[in-house]
């Protein structure tokens, strides 16, 4: 088992064995969501705070299916289109649920891409307020570095437009982002299938978030398992050190010593 | 465990749980080879007959490390550049080792690509002679269909020039090959890393052979494990049914029902 | 004008200034076909012999629009699914039209891919019969070399399934084909747009055939012109020698000597 | 000639027939630079102001080779790493050379990627100061829209790290940028060869800047000509409307009406 080889993902001092984070917004029901989490081998789920019934804290259905004692809840600000909204939402989340590790996403109305200026401003407020903030962002290495300098505990560049399933559109930028920051880099949004998660991990990033790709598959549980293996495959391949690409064939069996 | 879900690979009536076949020609030593096989979860290894010391059948070092009782040996004709050579080599192998399930490869001197005309002619001789023949070939769907018609029990198109690590160069052709034949299709030669094995499997092919990509990695054992997970990831994703690609973003969290 | 720099395409002793060959099977009418040829700057058109009214040689509508005295007609065997058919068709064409430079294509029923075994057998008959034969084929470098050895005067590997518009699926194979033969290599079938013609030419191939991509565009005349420029662009770029790819940024303006 | 079909590029009220802008920083000498401009059919050159000998305005060698009366000089701020630097540089340029149409680039030390926050701030100062500002930027559609809102007269997203020759890394983002703004979009930085310019233009963008790809080619004049044709090819193909991609072959000659 690869897990036996110690290679944990550490975010804001918390240690995770799994490098795959899944969502909670698009499954048929909470039972399916929980089964997908188990198949994914996941230890963390993202939760859109604006969708939680915060006024009924004693009836949180998701928590009945996915135990927050054993699974890390990562509250996010999906649906927030201004920094103010995002900050207010996360403060509410902390007050009601005690969550301090959060995912900041401030979206624009341009294809739901993150608005980096608003995101950076919000991040500064949240960091000053004591939050540990994982930040959804574009794959712009300059802005990613600004996010780290402002205190982000993880950088989460998108692979492609959210929900598109287009896969990792710009591996070069993701590589440059990884080189530009020292906190963990988690590829978020836009992946469509397990091999793309593997390919992203092979660039050396630290983890993957998958939501639509799993919840929207014909068989979500099976796709969750596929992503689990894909993330492990990519991580192991990155650590193993792949062969160089060659423009011509190289015999796979020695040509010498053949039987005459 | 995905293995618990019955999804065996069946070749010429033999059933395999693993869809990953590894090589034996390029490891540092037989011990490393055996360790890689274990890490890969493999049940079959390819062996270049022309390199085996067939005149010393009582001292086969590879067999000391990889037990032919529990691992299927797949003798291949690497190093054969004519059909006559290939047929003679496999007959010798059967006489000495009893192997009936074999891998035919008749290479050309053009970048070691298979010579399909010679390959087809040899295949017919071997089938007439009672062999179960898995056939290394180009990704030409017409020739692959001819191979099946001539009695091949598995079709093994190359992903890229052997040993190149260039990955699956033509997914469209591999898809057409898979549609054109009914026997198992195993992608062979040219893969460089685990995500490529996953991507190939996601096209619906039945298995993968990896040799140089594993043996030539900085850490071959770790790369063997990466391929194991990559092949499972790709198979599971194929069976799960991926989401469609969309040209624009789709909210991953419902936009309705947000907290005001 | 690039044409002023002598860089002719020579096929079977005939010299062409244009490296773009267009089709005649899919235009709205012969007038549009002629206009597309002019926009393409073309000097050669492929003509499916089985579609020509050979029994009415004095009323060939295509010839009224495209003058065979100034444009080279390249009779092809589209619609032939056996070598016998192909050979008979081209002999008929020569008898009636005097054409000696021909394009051989023997298609299979597998996605209309060429049947290389039948193609090679037919080629030998045609060469023995004195034809100059340009040969439609797969991108298998071994078979392409066999075709040259059998006397083909040009090798015409497909870019993708015919009419698909998928573009050049396997640049590596096309490169290997170009290296494996000494007669001209013309990329045929499957291109969708002008940039793909340019990219193919940048690999060093000698010319391009485009049919559906031009005739099926919303504005076929404009697309013909686009392909003309694309082919010139790719040829010139190939001859110019492109810069190497670098994994990191390189200042485009010197960093020294800046004003303080 | 495509130029006869009126399809001008209009930037800040200025009309250009050519959609290819070339650089001036990397040629062997000004004579080669002028020859490349002519081969490119270009009407605009970018000039790094910090490299011009502004204290000797009566001896501008570049101007002796490339006449600013017939070629538009586009002063840029290459070498500026803060917004203040960039603004001061362009004000100096206007004072000495009268240039009002300028290219703003504020680079970071992260792989010379533009710093979008500094860029936007500088843009606002320049617009308030009456400049017409073309802006070098990332391919982030949200920030590109901010630049337009702040008064940019053209948006110039990078294709890849400057000087890398990696080509258009993220066509999806360039497409989203083009859709998100109404001013011209000029793809800038990172292209390596002519087919990539064509492919970028086929996305519908309005123009291309090429510097290193031309000046660094083995034959810069020939590569300039290649880019000229590539840009025309891509523009014409975009306007022509390409065929759709199909997953399977489509006969290029009708299958009906064949000679029996």
């Amino acid at each position: 088992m690869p897990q036996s080889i110690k290679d944990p993902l550490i975010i804001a001092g918390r240690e995770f064995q799994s490098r795959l984070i899944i969502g909670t917004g698009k499954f048929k029901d909470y039972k399916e969501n929980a089964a997908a989490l188990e198949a994914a081998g996941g230890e963390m789920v993202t939760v859109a705070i604006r969708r939680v019934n915060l006024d009924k804290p004693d009836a949180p259905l998701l928590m009945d299916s996915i135990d927050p004692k054993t699974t890390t809840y990562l509250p996010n600000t999906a649906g927030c289109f201004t920094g103010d909204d995002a900050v207010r939402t996360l403060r509410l989340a902390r007050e009601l649920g005690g969550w301090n590790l959060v995912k900041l996403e401030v979206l624009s109305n341009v294809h739901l891409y993150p608005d980096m200026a608003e995101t950076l401003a919000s991040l500064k407020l949240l960091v000053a307020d004591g939050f540990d903030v994982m930040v959804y962002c574009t794959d712009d290495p300059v802005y990613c570095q600004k996010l780290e300098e402002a205190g982000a505990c993880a950088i989460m560049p998108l692979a492609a437009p959210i929900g598109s399933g287009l896969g990792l559109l710009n591996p070069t930028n993701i590589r440059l982002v990884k080189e530009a920051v020292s906190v963990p880099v988690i590829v978020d949004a836009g992946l469509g299938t397990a091999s793309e998660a593997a390919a992203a991990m092979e660039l050396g990033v630290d983890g993957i978030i998958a939501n639509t790709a799993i919840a929207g598959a014909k068989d979500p549980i099976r796709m969750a398992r596929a992503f689990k293996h894909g993330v492990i495959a990519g991580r192991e391949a990155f650590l193993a050190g792949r062969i160089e690409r060659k423009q011509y064939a190289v015999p796979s069996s020695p040509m010498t010593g053949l039987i005459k």
Side-chain angles (χ1 to χ4, degrees), chain A:
Chain A
M1 285 295 290
Q3 270 81 357
S4 68
I5 294 148
K6 285 295 251 187
D7 175 35
L9 168 63
I10 299 172
I11 298 175
R14 293 159 178 84
E15 189 173 313
F16 302 92
Q17 303 311 313
S18 165
R19 292 172 177 274
L20 174 60
I21 302 169
I22 75 166
T24 55
K26 303 192 100 177
F27 289 94
K28 192 181 58 183
D29 53 34
Y30 292 142
K31 200 179 146 209
E32 186 184 74
N33 201 337
L37 177 65
E38 192 185 344
E43 300 169 67
M44 200 186 318
V45 290
T46 61
V47 183
I49 286 304
R50 299 197 68 182
R51 292 182 46 254
V52 176
N53 285 330
L54 289 172
D55 50 346
K56 303 180 184 174
D58 43 13
L61 289 176
L62 180 60
M63 292 187 183
D64 289 346
S65 296
I66 297 178
D67 185 350
K69 291 202 196 71
T70 54
T71 296
T72 299
Y73 273 54
L74 182 66
N76 70 53
T77 57
C80 296
F81 288 81
T82 69
D84 279 353
D85 258 14
V87 171
R88 192 168 55 242
T89 297
L90 291 175
R91 283 179 178 156
L92 185 62
R94 183 163 61 181
E95 207 169 307
L96 293 172
W99 294 306
N100 199 56
L101 177 67
V102 296
K103 178 185 170 193
L104 173 65
E105 48 182 289
V106 185
L107 304 186
S108 72
N109 58 2
V110 183
H111 307 296
L112 302 176
Y113 267 52
D115 181 321
M116 294 311 296
E118 286 279 315
T119 298
L120 180 58
S122 307
L123 171 64
K124 288 174 180 172
L125 294 176
L126 292 168
V127 168
D129 213 11
F131 283 98
D132 291 327
V133 192
M134 301 170 70
V135 187
Y136 179 56
C137 54
T138 67
D139 62 5
D140 172 350
V142 180
Y143 245 109
C144 288
Q145 201 176 70
K146 287 181 199 284
L147 295 175
E148 176 172 40
E149 286 164 4
C153 71
I155 300 295
M156 309 175 88
L158 54 78
I162 193 165
S164 67
L166 291 175
L168 187 53
L169 294 179
N170 195 336
T172 295
N173 268 18
I174 295 295
R175 175 174 58 79
L176 296 180
V177 165
K178 176 63 189 165
E179 292 177 19
V181 304
S182 57
V183 292
V185 173
I186 316 281
V187 169
D188 190 359
L191 296 181
T193 184
S195 64
E196 297 164 358
M201 292 300 295
E202 285 171 354
L203 296 172
V205 302
D206 303 278
I208 296 289
I209 295 193
N211 189 3
T212 305
I214 293 175
K218 288 203 180 64
D219 181 342
I221 310 307
R222 195 151 209 164
M223 189 56 92
R225 193 162 55 229
F227 266 81
K228 170 187 152 184
H229 287 286
V231 169
I232 295 173
R235 180 65 181 176
E236 292 290 308
F238 169 70
L239 294 173
R242 61 160 289 159
I243 56 170
E244 282 182 28
R245 289 171 185 83
K246 296 190 183 67
Q247 292 308 303
Y248 295 97
V250 181
S252 79
S253 302
M255 285 293 146
T256 55
L258 298 180
I259 295 164
K260 305 292 152 29

